[in-house]
Amino acid sequence: MSRRVVRQSKFRHVFGQPVKADQMYEDIRVSKVTCDSSFCAVNPKFVAIIVESGGGGAFIVLPLAKTGRVDKNHPLVTGHTAPVLDIDWCPHNDNVIASASEDTTVMVWQIPDYVPMRNITEPVVTLEGHSKRVSIISWHPTARNVLLSAGCDNLVILWNVGTGEMLLALDDIHTDLIYNVGWNRNGSLLVTTCKDKKVRIIDPRKQQVVANNFEEPIALQEMDTSNGVLLPFYDPDSSIVYLCGKGDSSIRYFEITDEAPYVHYLNTYSSKEPQRGMGFMPKRGLDVSKCEIARFFKLHERKCEPIVMTVPRKSDLFQDDLYPDTPGPEPALEADEWLSGKDAEPILISLRDGYVPIKNRELKVVKKNILDNKPPPGPRRSHSTCHPDFSQSALEEVLEEIRALKETVQAQEKRISDLENKLCQFTNGTD
């Protein structure tokens, strides 16, 4: 009798499980716009979901712990004049999120730790440079404030969000629609897929393709999915790639190794309901005490359902082999250092004692020569309505006063929110 040799892997028995009904996010009008993005972005503090909205584009941001039925009057992040197509949390600041829209702009938002009273309508910065809708955004993995956007104008732009400036425009590399963009681990190279059926490896600072016509794939995996696009999520700590078909109802996962056959099928998580989008939690947001190695946020038509991927272990001790040191929230480089040619690996943290999110850090945008660069909106004012002595310092004084007033309003909103929470606790205690 010959016995089949089974490949040894600590991930062979990874299994997926949805959370209980009270830990889902209910009554969310998930966007119906036709776009291949994931519609959902998560980090250790918040889950953000692109939603339906009349007369513009919007997304909702919920604190992770705010599960259950979402109030129909819950504030939204609104400001785009057309549907939002993609959202992405900054890897170095859990309170900063970028959004891309059909209105051709990218906006960057500061999200407070408390739930605001009204819609958030003022972005920290608006990035304008695309001539058609912007369907892809992706933050640089190691450099502070560097954001990539790709639009239907076949253009890839790299921005310094800290100054609102365009750093680089890759405008003659793609001849057709860009489908997806990804960074390598230290952000020195990009990979893109395109409608012309080419995969390109790009050095963005040299603005050139360093590889694109790959002769043969090292592994080919047939997928029996629906016609929907596949959303891939790769975890470099475990070398597992998860494939979620949009419109499909399953998550297939594979282990990647250095030796042939390179791709090893592990398992499939199946459910009855198709997914309209998917969020993927960064490693530092997982519960290491439960041997959780991935957490997905599956979008249905009216709800968001977290799905937990776990490696079964008998011991309650920290599992070193499952949790190597992982990228933390500190950037390794400044934007100008990266632009000048420097590279740096992510700054890693240990998850041995779990991860506690950092308190809200404000994103400061210092625009260079803003008065020289931007013409005044609307018709030119005559000297009778605009005093010639209205100097730069006077303008800065007005802007400083506006900022102070905004801070006062935010502080009062937080106080009202805290008082409302206390009132809820009081009324719940007396019921």
Side-chain angles (χ1 to χ4, degrees), residues 26 35 37 59 67 87 90 148 182 244 256 294 334 370:
E26 307 264 3
C35 188
S37 76
F59 58 98
T67 55
I87 47 177
C90 175
L148 174 151
C244 314
I256 311 298
E334 296 300 324
I370 187 166

Side-chain angles (χ1 to χ4, degrees), residues 198-243:
K198 287 183 182 173
V199 175
R200 293 169 172 86
I201 309 287
I202 299 165
D203 183 328
R205 289 166 298 190
K206 290 182 180 168
Q207 303 193 35
Q208 65 187 40
V209 175
V210 292
N212 73 357
N213 284 331
F214 302 104
E215 294 299 316
E216 284 290 320
I218 59 168
L220 188 62
Q221 188 79 35
E222 291 290 334
M223 304 293 291
D224 56 337
T225 61
S226 63
N227 301 334
V229 69
L230 279 173
L231 302 173
F233 299 96
Y234 179 62
D235 173 21
D237 294 348
S238 61
S239 300
I240 295 178
V241 65
Y242 300 87
L243 298 177

Side-chain angles (χ1 to χ4, degrees), residues 60 76 110 132 153 161 192 256 279 330 343 376 381 390 413:
I60 191 168
L76 302 175
Q110 181 95 30
K132 291 187 178 173
D153 47 9
V161 169
T192 65
I256 311 298
E330 290 303 317
D343 289 319
R381 298 180 183 182
F390 197 70
E413 283 188 347

